[in-house]
Amino acid sequence: MKIFRLAVTAAALLLSLPATVQAQTTLRIGLAEDPDILDPTMARTYVGRIVFASFCDKLFDIDEKLNIVPQLALSHETSADGKEVTIKLRPGVKFHDGESLDAEAAKYSIERHLTMQGSFRKPELASVDRVEVVDPLTIKLGLKAPFSPLIAQLTDRAGMMVSPKAAKEAGDKFGLRPVCAGPYKFVERVQQDRMVFEKFADYWNKDNVFIDRIVFLPIVDATVRLANLKSGGLDLIERVLATDIKDVRTDSRLKLSTAIELGYQGITLNIGKDKAKGPLSQSAKVRQALDLSLDREAINQVVFNGEFKPGNQWVNPDHPYYQKAFPLRGRDVAKARALLNEAGVALPVSVDLMVPKGAETEAVAQVVQSMASESGFDMKIRVTEFATSLKQAEAGEYQAFMLAWSGRIDPDGNSYVFQKSGAPQNYSGWSDKEADKALDDGRLVTDQAQRKAIYEKLAKIVLEEKPLLYIYHRRILIAHTTKLEGYKQMPDGLVRVVGLKLK
């Protein structure tokens, strides 16, 4: 039925277009979820970032080697004391409504990220004290203190520029008809069905945009996504199941693009918001016992055919900021049981495990449930629609939450918003003064050795307290038809559309 529904939707969409448009090229992308709000200030989902990549350029971007490269900005310069960052903007950039992207517009966008009620960009730019217009194409960011991750933050949603005119007119409804400065402009969105974008004629890099329209279709079932790719209903799909890798590779009509993700997959544990005051929230020993119940390599083999990378930190083991002083430990059921005994809790320890709907996350949850039961845990799996799970996490309506993070190039982007006291994505409600100090200190220095030493202190605390159990790092799996040319997969998992061609 889902395959049929997609076919009907696609057919209806094509029939609704003028005859001249039907001849144009359309790239159809299958998404694993329906994104949240399409407002870069308010958005927080990985799948949303994939959509933003097609219509909302950033001040800076990254290349395959994680180098920061220009996008809407041409360059940046940091003062000797680290407290001022001057950014030169690219000339001739237009927003989708025809307004110019100048220094005033850039100042507006950054200040909107900082001041808008409910902004998820505010903690990412917390060090910014003021934004000054130096000249029509230059802004200067005055910082409260040196902030080493700043330019890295501007390679993501914090660096996305929105049209001041459109944003002021729309207010909190901006996400319903977003206006940015990217290669494609927004046409329509039908919730849980499709998002349509068309090529923007005045894009600054229009000579490298070769496809006329992009249609994003959220299809939760990975098997259905792959079936539609094979049948020609889709041109590209994200989050191919690891168990389907062989199937894709043996199909001459398809191509697989991969990279190990910058982010992590883990289980967030409710410590500070647990209304039930269960054993997990009250005792680090109980959390340590749950962690020792897990065999990460077995999870990788059973669910992912060994294609992913087991991990125990917020960066993967190949990352330059991975703390080798705290290597991955094996499963130890006897130690787990001993810790539960020391904690004096009654067995079995009942745990509400909230799991976003999806074949792989549900499979991981079932393996975790089985492993944890041998140590004395009763993990009660509660499958929840993704957007709903985020709302319940914010409200503290869970005890354990299987939550993924798509990752950032700087380690601060994988840690601060989840571990800092009171941070908006600290769903655990965990608070530790020494951890807070390490998180803040990591933002003050640029020397990698000094920063790594600071993050080692943080890792020691986090791995002891365990507000979050890091389990594995995905291999980003993007499959597309061989008719699509020029596709490259970056470690951030985004789908970049500039330069792509459809035969």
Side-chain angles (χ1 to χ4, degrees), residues 138-427:
T138 309
I139 58 171
K140 182 185 290 183
L141 306 184
L143 311 184
K144 300 168 187 172
F147 183 57
S148 53
L150 179 61
I151 301 303
Q153 296 284 29
L154 297 177
T155 67
D156 207 87
R157 287 169 295 202
M160 291 179 187
M161 301 287 101
V162 302
S163 165
K165 180 182 176 183
K168 288 173 185 175
E169 289 176 356
D172 62 1
K173 302 290 193 300
F174 177 78
L176 298 177
R177 293 200 66 82
V179 179
C180 291
Y184 292 84
K185 63 180 181 180
F186 178 85
V187 175
E188 69 166 340
R189 179 180 189 178
V190 179
Q191 211 80 24
Q192 301 294 333
D193 187 78
R194 66 181 183 269
M195 286 152 285
V196 181
F197 297 84
E198 64 182 27
K199 183 164 65 172
F200 178 46
D202 291 326
Y203 181 53
W204 63 269
N205 193 17
K206 63 184 177 183
D207 290 344
N208 285 314
V209 179
F210 306 107
I211 296 170
D212 298 303
R213 292 170 70 87
I214 298 181
V215 180
F216 293 96
L217 296 143
I219 306 168
V220 175
D221 191 316
T223 303
V224 176
R225 283 200 304 282
L226 181 56
N228 276 278
L229 180 67
K230 287 186 165 193
S231 69
L234 293 172
D235 304 296
L236 181 149
I237 61 172
E238 57 111 3
R239 275 178 276 182
V240 173
L241 296 179
T243 49
D244 287 332
I245 289 176
K246 184 178 179 182
D247 192 12
V248 173
R249 284 180 174 155
T250 55
D251 191 325
S252 61
R253 301 166 302 168
L254 303 181
K255 185 174 180 181
L256 189 70
S257 294
T258 76
I260 290 293
E261 69 176 349
L262 294 171
Y264 59 80
Q265 313 296 303
I267 302 176
T268 299
L269 303 179
N270 188 346
I271 295 176
K273 300 178 179 180
D274 181 19
K275 301 176 180 69
K277 303 295 181 186
L280 266 182
S281 65
Q282 302 304 300
S283 172
K285 287 184 177 179
V286 176
R287 298 192 291 274
Q288 292 164 11
L290 179 58
D291 187 55
L292 284 168
S293 303
L294 307 181
D295 185 331
R296 288 164 168 79
E297 182 53 44
I299 292 171
N300 182 35
Q301 294 295 333
V302 170
V303 184
F304 307 115
N305 286 354
E307 293 280 352
F308 290 3
K309 189 175 284 288
N312 65 336
Q313 298 174 30
W314 51 91
V315 293
N316 72 58
D318 297 331
H319 195 281
Y321 279 92
Y322 182 80
Q323 301 297 331
K324 294 181 180 177
F326 306 105
L328 198 61
R329 291 192 300 183
R331 187 182 189 220
D332 192 335
V333 172
K335 179 76 179 293
R337 284 185 168 276
L339 283 169
L340 291 177
N341 186 53
E342 289 174 28
V345 296
L347 301 182
V349 177
S350 179
V351 178
D352 166 44
L353 175 58
M354 183 166 63
V355 180
K357 185 175 179 60
E360 287 187 338
T361 50
E362 291 176 49
V364 172
Q366 289 163 8
V367 177
V368 166
Q369 180 186 54
S370 177
M371 289 177 172
S373 68
E374 295 179 31
S375 300
F377 289 92
D378 179 16
M379 308 292 286
K380 299 181 185 298
I381 297 172
R382 176 163 56 92
V383 177
T384 311
E385 194 274 324
F386 182 60
T388 302
S389 72
L390 288 178
K391 291 178 182 177
Q392 293 191 3
E394 282 183 342
E397 296 169 358
Y398 76 101
Q399 291 179 309
F401 179 21
M402 189 162 288
L403 181 63
W405 177 241
S406 54
R408 302 294 181 269
I409 60 173
D410 191 278
D412 177 90
N414 283 7
S415 55
Y416 198 96
V417 295
F418 305 101
Q419 299 166 1
K420 173 76 172 179
S421 297
Q425 286 168 274
N426 182 349
Y427 298 125

